[in-house]
Amino acid sequence: MSSEGGKEDCLGWAARDPSGFLSPYKFTRRAVGSEDVSIKITHCGVCYADVAWTRNEYGHSKYPLVPGHEIVGIVKQVGSSVQRFKVGDHVGVGTYVNSCRECEYCNDRLETQCEKAVLTFDGIDADGTVTKGGYSSHIVVHERYCFRIPENYPMDLAAPLLCAGITVYTPMIRHKMNQPGKSLGVIGLGGLGHMAVKFGKAFGLKVTVLSTSISKEEEALSLLGADHFVISSDLEQMKAIAKSLDFIIDTAAGDHPFDSYMSLLKTGGILALVGFPSEVKFSPASLNFNMRTVSGSVTGGTKDTQEMIDLCAAQKIYPKIEVIPIDYPMKLSRGSSREILSTDS
């Protein structure tokens, strides 16, 4: 165990190299400032980003790296100027912990688009320190980037909302994918995809799950309540639903053919890409002839995030998760996107 100097007051789980293995690591959190909230972390979701960053898949990981940006816990201390939280409140922290708070995006509560937005882990904060995430005992965050978790919402279930949930919710709201009776296609049924299905049904949409795996059919139809399930590699099934969808949320991380999915959109339909395939390639004809739109998106700002959490509490929208203890032998894999680490001991 090591630290960067000072009192080692926080216990985390850190990657030391691109192997993906995590081990205990003691380090120092900053002192609680006047506008800060100190949170005892009880749960942290396992996200695809945790896997990618611990393995240095994007080439800029800074070790030792403490991942985790789907953080839920209990307020244990607040700064003298904090207005929105008190000791004992249930709160969440998502994918970013700072921004300039002055630009047009921050003023519109779209902090993810701020040029100075700071990632929850492996980011460079305003004081020059490297941020460390939620695979740890506690975290200190400015109150602006904390979210109130309603008392009636289970804390373990709240964790995935802070990345997976808001990642699909943001484009759905921006592109008005909340109109009852409209049709939504969801590509992929992992952590992101299953939340898109849940939001779609909550909004009154007719939801079709598009997957290459027949093993997902029962979950899609029986557990999540999707209206239809289509094997996207089956050309006949795809032809049968051509030009039938108003919207598509594309959550697939692997490379896939875009033209076949674009053919499912009605005239004026919208495909929102929230996954990160290595390339996006489609014929201009797939876009131009039917006035279709392709849009990208990442997580969401503080306004949308709090609204989404409140919606989930009001309508009892719960992610499907598996809770594991944080002292479980830790090597992250791409199949971990619905696991929740319990850090409360």
Side-chain angles (χ1 to χ4, degrees), residues 56-82:
N56 197 26
E57 291 186 1
Y58 300 118
H60 51 63
S61 297
K62 296 173 282 295
Y63 299 104
L65 187 150
V66 179
H69 61 199
E70 296 180 338
I71 303 167
V72 174
I74 300 170
V75 175
K76 67 175 186 175
Q77 184 181 351
V78 297
S80 58
S81 300
V82 169

Side-chain angles (χ1 to χ4, degrees), residues 8 18 29 32 83 93 95 108 132 135 156 162 167 180 185 191 197 204 221 229-230 240 248 277 295 342:
E8 297 175 345
R29 291 290 190 191
V32 177
Q83 300 292 318
V93 177
T95 61
D108 288 339
K132 295 177 173 60
Y135 290 26
D156 55 347
L162 296 159
T167 294
V197 174
L221 300 177
F229 181 86
V230 171
I248 292 175
S295 174
S342 175

Side-chain angles (χ1 to χ4, degrees), residues 38-220:
S38 179
I39 304 162
K40 177 186 177 183
I41 299 172
T42 60
H43 300 86
C44 186
V46 178
C47 177
Y48 173 74
D50 301 337
V51 180
W53 258 259
T54 57
R55 296 183 178 185
N56 197 26
E57 291 186 1
Y58 300 118
H60 51 63
S61 297
K62 296 173 282 295
Y63 299 104
L65 187 150
V66 179
H69 61 199
E70 296 180 338
I71 303 167
V72 174
I74 300 170
V75 175
K76 67 175 186 175
Q77 184 181 351
V78 297
S80 58
S81 300
V82 169
Q83 300 292 318
R84 297 170 49 230
F85 302 100
K86 65 182 186 303
V87 173
D89 283 348
H90 294 182
V91 297
V93 177
T95 61
Y96 51 94
V97 290
N98 208 347
S99 63
C100 78
R101 304 172 215 160
E102 297 176 345
C103 68
E104 61 178 304
Y105 302 111
C106 287
N107 289 337
D108 288 339
R109 295 283 169 167
L110 294 172
E111 295 90 345
T112 51
Q113 303 305 313
C114 173
E115 290 290 335
K116 297 182 179 179
V118 177
L119 297 178
T120 301
F121 67 86
D122 203 42
I124 304 297
D125 213 342
D127 62 1
T129 60
V130 178
T131 55
K132 295 177 173 60
Y135 290 26
S136 56
S137 56
H138 76 278
I139 192 169
V140 178
V141 181
H142 188 284
E143 71 166 327
R144 176 173 179 145
Y145 311 98
C146 299
F147 305 101
R148 183 176 299 280
I149 307 298
E151 292 289 332
N152 67 336
Y153 201 90
M155 294 177 72
D156 55 347
L157 297 177
L161 303 182
L162 296 159
C163 180
I166 189 59
T167 294
V168 295
Y169 180 87
T170 295
M172 292 181 80
I173 296 301
R174 184 167 70 247
H175 297 296
K176 297 180 173 57
M177 299 184 192
N178 56 352
Q179 304 171 62
K182 294 285 189 176
S183 55
L184 170 71
V186 177
I187 303 174
L189 202 60
L192 295 172
H194 93 287
M195 287 305 304
V197 174
K198 284 179 173 285
F199 285 134
K201 295 305 297 180
F203 293 146
L205 304 180
K206 298 174 183 176
V207 179
T208 298
V209 171
L210 304 161
S211 176
T212 58
S213 176
I214 188 65
S215 65
K216 296 285 188 177
E217 183 172 17
E218 182 177 358
E219 177 186 1

